[in-house]
Amino acid sequence: MDTPGVDSRVPGAAAGAELRWMGGRLLDATGGFVGSLSPRMPGEQDFSPALHRLTPPENSTSAQPEIDYEGLPQGAATGTHMLAGSVAGIMEHCVMYPIDCVKTRMQSLHPEPGARYRNVMDALRQIVRTEGVWRPIRGVNVLAVGAGPAHALYFACYEKIKFSLGNAIHPGANSHFSNGVAGCMATVLHDGIMNPAEVVKQRMQMFNSPYRGVVHCAASLLRRDGPAAFYRSYGTQLTMNVPFQALHFMTYESLQELLNPRRRYDPASHVAAGALAGALAAAATTPLDVCKTLLNTQEAHAVHAVAAAGAASSGRRISGLAEACRTVYGMGGAPAFFKGFQARIIYQAPSTAISWSVYEFFKYLLTQRQHG
């Protein structure tokens, strides 16, 4: 047996490469470690040394199994989706809240002289200059409180139904039908929680809002109109959000197949797909959003006009989608259904991009920890 440290050279017959045996180890021509030689053990019949090929180092990237964050660990999926969805919802609504304030004002059917704006940037400048720097985010706290649980249920329900229904209809492949159904069912739960917060939020966003704060607004509505005030627009909200979310989710999943076919964690594809899906869905549902804003705010001029015409069905209140549509058309014709169109697109595209990118990031992060 050669002593350790002796440099014995072995020609590589097949490849023409040179192997060296040094200290019981095989090295290639560049000094790379390619194997080891073990001496004969007692009782062995074969006296020739055995060559053992080394396994890849533990820190090699090729040896690391790729974690599929879409396939969450069993038993942890619901909690992961709910936590990721909650954070995504709060981030989405809070970051874009100033634009949401502008959208609400620009959808007013008869804005006061001090609340007539040329575009989104003009509106923000005027609001900050005349009403203070904090005015565009007035009411954001009630939205944050509602968005957390609403989006937790929203994403958890979506993922559960998407995978369950998708596996039943088209196992192993993306199903646009299951994506749409999942989005619709998730919306019903989401809007049930968010509708009261939306009513208070939009009352706080209006020009010359008479409320001192969120609690004062909620208490005033409850005292004057009862609990029904918080769900007066729920039917309209669902009528708008069910097609919105169906279109939104189907577009997002289709774009993910195009931009991210292996369905890995890819921030760029999540942002791009989310923004395009949100913009398309927002554009298609703007008329219903105008009606929803009217039902939530009960704009004084519109209510008086309806009451004067003798068309108010519930004590000088606009109630229901049909009456809202008649009021919008009567006060501004067909163009009135697209008031705030630009602000809605500018608000919704970044909002859905933020929501999806934050959601996918937290889902990926939590899944990595589960696998780790």
Side-chain angles (χ1 to χ4, degrees), residues 115-134:
R116 295 176 181 174
Y117 314 113
R118 294 191 301 273
N119 50 52
V120 174
M121 291 307 299
D122 177 59
L124 284 173
R125 282 194 297 266
Q126 285 196 47
I127 292 171
V128 171
R129 187 176 65 251
T130 60
E131 302 174 54
V133 69
W134 299 112

Side-chain angles (χ1 to χ4, degrees), residues 178-192:
S178 64
N179 295 336
V181 172
C184 294
M185 296 303 296
T187 299
V188 173
L189 291 177
H190 172 272
D191 288 356

Side-chain angles (χ1 to χ4, degrees), residues 47-72:
F47 290 91
S48 62
L51 174 63
H52 298 278
R53 301 182 68 86
L54 289 179
T55 58
E58 291 184 0
N59 60 352
S60 172
T61 56
S62 62
Q64 294 289 340
E66 182 181 341
I67 296 176
D68 178 15
Y69 82 102
E70 291 285 354
L72 294 167

Side-chain angles (χ1 to χ4, degrees), residues 11-50:
E18 188 179 65
L19 298 177
R20 291 186 297 163
W21 176 31
M22 176 171 284
R25 298 180 301 169
L26 282 178
L27 307 179
D28 61 16
T30 62
F33 196 4
V34 297
S36 65
L37 291 174
S38 63
R40 176 181 59 83
M41 301 299 294
E44 287 185 354
Q45 298 300 319
D46 185 2
F47 290 91
S48 62

Side-chain angles (χ1 to χ4, degrees), residues 30-363:
T30 62
F33 196 4
V34 297
S36 65
L37 291 174
S38 63
R40 176 181 59 83
M41 301 299 294
E44 287 185 354
Q45 298 300 319
D46 185 2
F47 290 91
S48 62
L51 174 63
H52 298 278
R53 301 182 68 86
L54 289 179
T55 58
E58 291 184 0
N59 60 352
S60 172
T61 56
S62 62
Q64 294 289 340
E66 182 181 341
I67 296 176
D68 178 15
Y69 82 102
E70 291 285 354
L72 294 167
Q74 187 174 4
T78 301
T80 301
H81 287 309
M82 292 185 76
L83 180 57
S86 178
V87 175
I90 293 172
M91 288 288 293
E92 168 194 352
H93 287 291
C94 291
V95 171
M96 297 304 298
Y97 191 83
I99 307 300
D100 186 42
C101 176
V102 170
K103 176 189 74 74
T104 297
R105 293 194 178 194
M106 294 185 77
Q107 287 180 336
S108 173
L109 297 178
H110 192 272
E112 298 185 34
R116 295 176 181 174
Y117 314 113
R118 294 191 301 273
N119 50 52
V120 174
M121 291 307 299
D122 177 59
L124 284 173
R125 282 194 297 266
Q126 285 196 47
I127 292 171
V128 171
R129 187 176 65 251
T130 60
E131 302 174 54
V133 69
W134 299 112
R135 190 62 179 84
I137 60 172
R138 192 166 183 251
V140 68
N141 49 345
V142 69
L143 201 65
V145 170
H151 279 72
L153 288 175
Y154 176 72
F155 278 107
C157 176
Y158 170 71
E159 294 285 356
K160 182 68 175 176
I161 295 176
K162 180 182 78 171
F163 283 113
S164 300
L165 190 59
N167 288 335
I169 295 175
H170 198 180
N174 182 46
S175 169
H176 297 304
F177 176 76
S178 64
N179 295 336
V181 172
C184 294
M185 296 303 296
T187 299
V188 173
L189 291 177
H190 172 272
D191 288 356
I193 297 174
M194 279 297 290
N195 210 83
E198 283 280 339
V199 172
V200 174
K201 176 206 75 172
Q202 290 198 305
R203 294 286 182 118
M204 298 287 293
Q205 289 174 335
M206 293 298 287
F207 182 73
N208 280 340
S209 175
Y211 306 107
R212 296 190 301 270
V214 167
V215 175
H216 178 231
C217 178
S220 298
L221 285 173
L222 187 61
R223 184 173 57 254
R224 186 173 64 246
D225 297 334
F230 297 102
Y231 285 94
R232 186 178 285 121
S233 65
Y234 184 58
T236 303
Q237 184 97 340
L238 285 179
T239 304
M240 175 186 72
N241 278 346
V242 166
F244 174 94
Q245 297 299 353
L247 184 58
H248 166 210
F249 278 114
M250 287 190 291
T251 304
Y252 179 80
E253 296 290 351
S254 298
L255 289 171
Q256 280 294 291
E257 283 190 341
L258 179 65
L259 301 174
N260 186 17
R262 300 188 67 177
R263 303 311 291 261
R264 294 177 173 177
Y265 173 63
D266 180 13
S269 73
H270 300 321
V271 170
L276 290 172
L280 178 62
T285 56
T286 296
L288 290 169
D289 191 51
V290 173
C291 295
K292 182 209 75 174
T293 298
L294 177 61
L295 289 169
N296 280 344
T297 60
Q298 295 293 309
E299 190 179 343
H301 190 276
V303 172
H304 293 156
V306 172
S313 59
S314 55
R316 295 173 63 84
R317 291 287 181 269
I318 300 171
S319 179
L321 177 58
E323 190 171 42
C325 288
R326 287 195 299 269
T327 305
V328 171
Y329 185 79
M331 295 190 67
F337 286 102
F338 292 92
K339 289 176 90 52
F341 179 83
Q342 180 194 44
R344 179 164 164 78
I345 300 298
I346 294 174
Y347 163 75
Q348 201 66 58
S351 290
T352 48
I354 291 169
S355 180
W356 276 113
S357 58
V358 172
Y359 172 67
E360 299 283 6
F361 168 73
F362 271 87
K363 191 169 69 169

